[in-house]
Amino acid sequence: MSSLNLAGLLARATERLRQSGAGSPRLDAEVLLAHVLGRDRVFLYRESHRVPDTAAARRYRELVERRAAGEPVAYLTGHKEFMGLDFIVGPHVLIPRPETELLVERALAVLAAWPGCRRIAVDVGTGSGAVAVSLARLSPGTQVYATDTASGALAVARRNAARHGVRVRFYQGDLLQPLQGVLPTGSAAVVTANLPYVPSAAIHRLPRDVRCYEPLQALDGGPDGLAHYRRLVPQAEELLAPGGYLFMEIAPDLRDAALALVPPPRWRARILNDLSSRPRLVEARKAR
Ligand code: GLN
C-alpha cells in the first residue's frame, strides 16, 4: 500500500467519519490529525504533501476508528477550547460547550460592575472548571470558589486552574453546602451554575457521543430536569449579597419552569438566548 500524504489521509478519514454519521467529519478529521502530529490545523494545509511516518499514520487511523465508533473528539485529544482558553478534559467531566460562554460573559459583566470591595464568584458543579477558571482568568481581583460532588472532576479542574495560573478555591460536596462556614452569608456577587438539566426520561434521546461517553451524573437533572436547580435556588439566595446574581444554564424547553424557581419579589429574573437564539440562561438578581 502506498503511503498517503496529509491531504490523502484527511480525505480518507473524512470519508470514514462521514459514513459513520459523525456530525462534522472534515473538522473532526483535521483536529485529530493535527493532534497526532502535534501541530495546528493550518499546518495540514501548508504541508499537505508531506507523508507522515507510519507510527503517526497508524495512531491516526486508531483515533479515527474510535471517533467513528462515537467517542467525542475532545476526549480523544484530551483538550477543548472554551472562552479562548485551552482546557484539559477527560471522561470524568462534561466537555465544555460553546453555549456556556454566554453564562461566563454575563457573569463577567456583573463582576466588572460590582460595587463591593470584595468580589466573590462561586461556580457550583464546576466539572472541568471551565467556568471557574475562565472567571478567575478574565476577572482579575475576583475571588473564585468552586464546588463539585465528583472528586474525579475536581482533579481535572485543579489541573486546569494550575495550567492557567489562577487561584480557584475548590471544595468537594453537594451544591453550595461545602461553603458553609467558609463564606459568610450574603457575601457572593455571583453564583454560576451549569448543573445537570436533562430530564431523566430524555437522556436516551441525547446524541450517542453524549449519552454513551459523557458522565451521566453531569447530565441527569431528575424527573423534570430541574431537580438540582430547585435545591440550589434557596442555597444561592442565602449566599448571595443583596443585588447579587444567580446564573443557571438551562435547556430551551425549561424556560418557564426555570423562571418560576426565581419569582418576584425576592428575585428579578429574565431569560437570555444563546447564539442560536434559543433560551439558554436564567439571569436572576436577588432583591436588594
Ligand atoms: N448542554 C448539555 C447537552 O445538551 C447538557 C449540559 C447540562 O446538563 N448541564 O448535552
Side-chain angles (χ1 to χ4, degrees):
M1 190 185 86
S2 67
S3 304
L4 289 174
N5 62 22
L6 297 185
L9 279 173
L10 271 179
R12 194 174 63 182
T14 302
E15 193 42 41
R16 173 75 185 98
L17 294 177
R18 195 189 315 282
Q19 285 165 8
S20 79
S24 47
R26 178 74 194 188
L27 178 63
D28 292 1
E30 290 182 6
V31 170
L32 291 176
L33 185 53
H35 171 69
V36 164
L37 300 174
R39 304 287 194 145
D40 61 14
R41 280 163 55 218
V42 175
F43 176 86
L44 307 177
Y45 288 91
R46 209 174 49 224
E47 307 283 328
S48 62
H49 294 290
R50 272 207 206 200
V51 176
D53 60 59
T54 50
R58 185 179 328 112
R59 171 128 184 78
Y60 183 50
R61 205 161 48 235
E62 285 163 12
L63 289 181
V64 168
E65 282 312 310
R66 285 169 65 184
R67 176 66 196 127
E71 252 179 276
V73 172
Y75 289 158
L76 294 172
T77 64
H79 293 266
K80 179 71 182 181
E81 191 197 303
F82 179 80
M83 292 301 292
L85 302 169
D86 181 66
F87 285 93
I88 297 164
V89 296
H92 290 296
V93 299
L94 193 82
I95 299 165
R97 309 283 205 265
E99 57 266 30
T100 305
E101 294 184 352
L102 173 66
L103 177 153
V104 175
E105 280 157 11
R106 286 303 309 152
L108 287 172
V110 168
L111 291 167
W114 190 251
C117 301
R118 196 176 169 206
R119 254 188 344 228
I120 294 173
V122 177
D123 183 41
V124 50
T126 197
S128 66
V131 171
V133 170
S134 297
L135 292 177
R137 251 308 268 269
L138 303 172
S139 176
T142 294
Q143 295 172 21
V144 181
Y145 293 74
T147 72
D148 206 290
T149 51
S151 56
L154 286 172
V156 174
R158 284 201 175 89
R159 285 177 64 199
N160 279 318
R163 178 182 179 80
H164 291 291
V166 294
R167 170 142 194 232
V168 175
R169 284 102 160 159
F170 291 105
Y171 293 84
Q172 188 176 0
D174 181 53
L175 300 178
L176 296 173
Q177 271 165 18
L179 298 178
Q180 276 177 16
V182 173
L183 285 175
T185 299
S187 62
V190 162
V191 172
T192 54
N194 179 15
L195 296 178
Y197 55 67
V198 181
S200 307
I203 298 272
H204 75 278
R205 288 201 296 271
L206 291 173
R208 198 188 140 71
D209 15 357
V210 178
R211 177 167 46 85
C212 302
Y213 291 93
E214 299 200 69
L216 186 62
Q217 56 171 335
L219 294 164
D220 192 339
D224 66 350
L226 292 171
H228 303 293
Y229 288 137
R230 193 168 284 118
R231 290 192 303 119
L232 172 66
V233 168
Q235 295 181 21
E237 188 175 1
E238 199 173 308
L239 186 60
L240 281 171
Y245 283 78
L246 168 62
F247 293 99
M248 298 181 286
E249 185 178 305
I250 56 163
D253 54 356
L254 297 177
R255 173 184 204 283
D256 295 336
L259 266 183
L261 298 180
V262 279
R266 297 194 351 237
W267 298 94
R268 277 210 343 250
R270 61 175 178 151
I271 297 278
L272 296 162
N273 291 347
D274 63 19
L275 288 173
S276 356
S277 304
R278 287 156 49 92
R280 183 58 68 187
L281 184 65
V282 179
E283 177 185 281
R285 183 172 203 198
K286 182 180 155 176
R288 305 193 66 83

